[in-house]
Structure formats: C-alpha cells, structure tokens
C-alpha cells in the first residue's frame, strides 16, 4: 500500500487491497433438499474465490422463500444466489406451470443490477409416481422459462440416481445424493462466467 506526500494512505491503493481480499458471496437458498450441503467444503472445492453460504428452510414452499430471502438480501447483498425450491409445492393443487412461474417470479424478485440468480431444478423423486412426473413437468417448464429469460439453471436429473441417491422414503437425498448435488453446485460455480 502506498502513502501520499502527506503520509496518509492512497485511497485507490486501499480500495485495490480491499477488493482483492474480498470474496464474492454465494448464497444457496432452498428447501430441506439442501440441508446437508456443507458450505465450508463447497467453498473449498470451487476454483474461484467464492464464499458459499447454505440456508435451508425445511418445508419451505416458494411463497415462504420470498419472506426467508429478504434478510439475506438486506444483510449480505450476495453476488450470486442459487435457488432450490419447489419440492414442497408439488403436493399442492398448483399446476406444473404455476409452480414453475412462481419460481421464476421469485428469481426475478431477487434480481438486482449487481447479482446473478441461478435456479436449481427439482431433484427427481421416487416416493410417488405422480409427484415424480409433476417434478419432471415443472423442470421442463423451468428450463423453457429460464432459457427465454436468460436465467441460468442447474439440472440434477442426469447426475442424481433415484435408486442410489434418494433415501428409502423416496423424497430426500441421502449422504451420497447430497454430495452429488454439492458437486453440481461446485461445477457450476467453478465454470461460471
């Protein structure tokens, strides 16, 4: 750090040092599907200088995440937000299109000029064939809507196997499933432009 003639610190040099030491903050906001994602390990496994924080809200539906996300936005102003929500909405009377639209609306409500919003698609499930089909329909609609709105998304359907990564009850991820999901997040963040 350089000092000027008066012996005080040069503001530009101080700003450069501060910016170099600051890590961009990534928040993963979601339902209980993200509760076993270890933010410390995820931070260490990303190639870039990101500080990852995971905030699971058990049993949260999309409308609940509107309220839960406000303190995070106000207090931390994260550079990247990954939203993983919709699992608990599948049992509602909402159609697949309505659930997908509510997720997109949530993402748009969190978007600012300085952040990036990423949607994590719903994880496959094996507890109920109808709900599994509905999850696939929501994901199909989300992919289409995200593409039209230039919102990035993370798709877990190819990497998460319902027989080996989902607990016996058929809804939540087991330990290896959570590891796969965390790897999907790490891969996305490592390659993010």
């Amino acid at each position: 750090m350089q000092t000027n003639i008066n012996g005080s610190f040069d503001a530009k040099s101080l700003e450069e040092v501060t910016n170099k030491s600051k890590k961009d903050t990534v928040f993963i906001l979601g339902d209980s599907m993200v509760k076993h994602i270890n933010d410390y390990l995820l931070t260490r496994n990303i190639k870039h200088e990101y500080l990852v924080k995971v905030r699971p809200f058990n049993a949260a539906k999309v409308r609940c995440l509107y309220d839960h996300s406000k303190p995070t936005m106000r207090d931390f102003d994260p550079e990247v937000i990954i939203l993983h929500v919709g699992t608990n909405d599948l049992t509602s009377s909402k159609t697949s299109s309505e659930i997908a639209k509510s997720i997109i609306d949530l993402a748009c409500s969190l978007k600012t000029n300085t952040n990036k919003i990423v949607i994590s698609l719903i994880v496959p499930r094996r507890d109920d064939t109808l709900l599994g089909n509905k999850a696939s329909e929501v994901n199909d609609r989300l992919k289409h809507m995200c593409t039209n709105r230039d919102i990035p998304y993370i798709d877990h359907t190819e990497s998460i196997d319902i027989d080996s990564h989902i607990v016996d009850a058929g809804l939540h991820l087991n330990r290896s499933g959570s590891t796969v999901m965390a790897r999907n997040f790490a891969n996305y963040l490592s390659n993010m432009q």
Side-chain angles (χ1 to χ4, degrees):
M1 191 173 327
Q2 299 175 354
T3 57
N4 62 21
I5 298 173
N6 301 327
S8 61
F9 292 112
D10 181 15
K12 184 176 179 182
S13 296
L14 181 60
E15 182 179 321
E16 288 172 5
V17 169
T18 303
N19 287 338
K20 284 182 181 176
S21 64
K22 180 182 180 264
K23 288 185 174 190
D24 288 337
T25 307
V26 175
F27 270 83
I28 299 173
L29 303 176
D31 53 31
S32 59
M33 298 301 283
V34 300
K35 69 183 174 184
H36 294 298
I37 304 291
N38 184 315
D39 45 17
Y40 173 75
L41 291 177
L42 190 52
T43 297
R44 290 190 56 210
N45 288 323
I46 298 172
K47 294 177 188 174
H48 301 293
E49 291 294 314
Y50 292 121
L51 174 63
V52 180
K53 295 290 183 188
V54 180
R55 296 292 187 265
F57 301 98
N58 292 342
K61 293 184 177 182
V62 176
R63 66 179 167 72
C64 297
L65 214 54
Y66 274 102
D67 295 330
H68 292 312
S69 62
K70 288 177 185 176
T72 299
M73 296 300 293
R74 181 188 62 239
D75 297 341
F76 298 99
D77 191 25
E79 284 76 16
V80 180
I81 298 170
I82 298 175
L83 292 174
H84 186 87
V85 66
T87 306
N88 298 308
D89 293 89
L90 295 173
T91 58
S92 74
S93 61
K94 287 183 178 180
T95 66
S96 301
S97 295
E98 290 171 329
I99 295 170
K101 184 180 179 322
S102 67
I103 294 169
I104 293 291
D105 289 346
L106 172 60
C108 291
S109 77
L110 298 175
K111 182 73 180 115
T112 67
N113 293 332
T114 59
N115 71 9
K116 182 171 192 159
I117 307 296
V118 181
I119 294 177
S120 171
L121 299 184
I122 298 173
V123 172
R125 51 192 296 165
R126 67 177 188 174
D127 61 335
D128 183 308
T129 304
L130 291 176
L131 293 179
N133 291 340
K134 192 173 183 181
S136 294
E137 290 172 9
V138 171
N139 284 343
D140 289 343
R141 284 169 173 71
L142 276 173
K143 288 178 197 177
H144 178 72
M145 295 170 92
C146 285
T147 301
N148 287 343
R149 289 168 176 78
D150 200 27
I151 299 172
Y153 63 86
I154 300 169
D155 191 350
H156 305 284
T157 54
E158 295 294 320
S159 57
I160 293 182
D161 178 66
I162 60 171
D163 294 322
S164 57
H165 295 134
I166 308 289
V167 296
D168 290 337
L171 172 62
H172 288 100
L173 296 169
N174 59 24
R175 186 173 301 277
S176 64
S178 292
T179 300
V180 171
M181 180 182 256
R183 189 177 313 124
N184 292 344
F185 291 147
N187 289 339
Y188 178 83
L189 292 168
S190 294
N191 297 307
M192 189 171 66
Q193 301 294 330

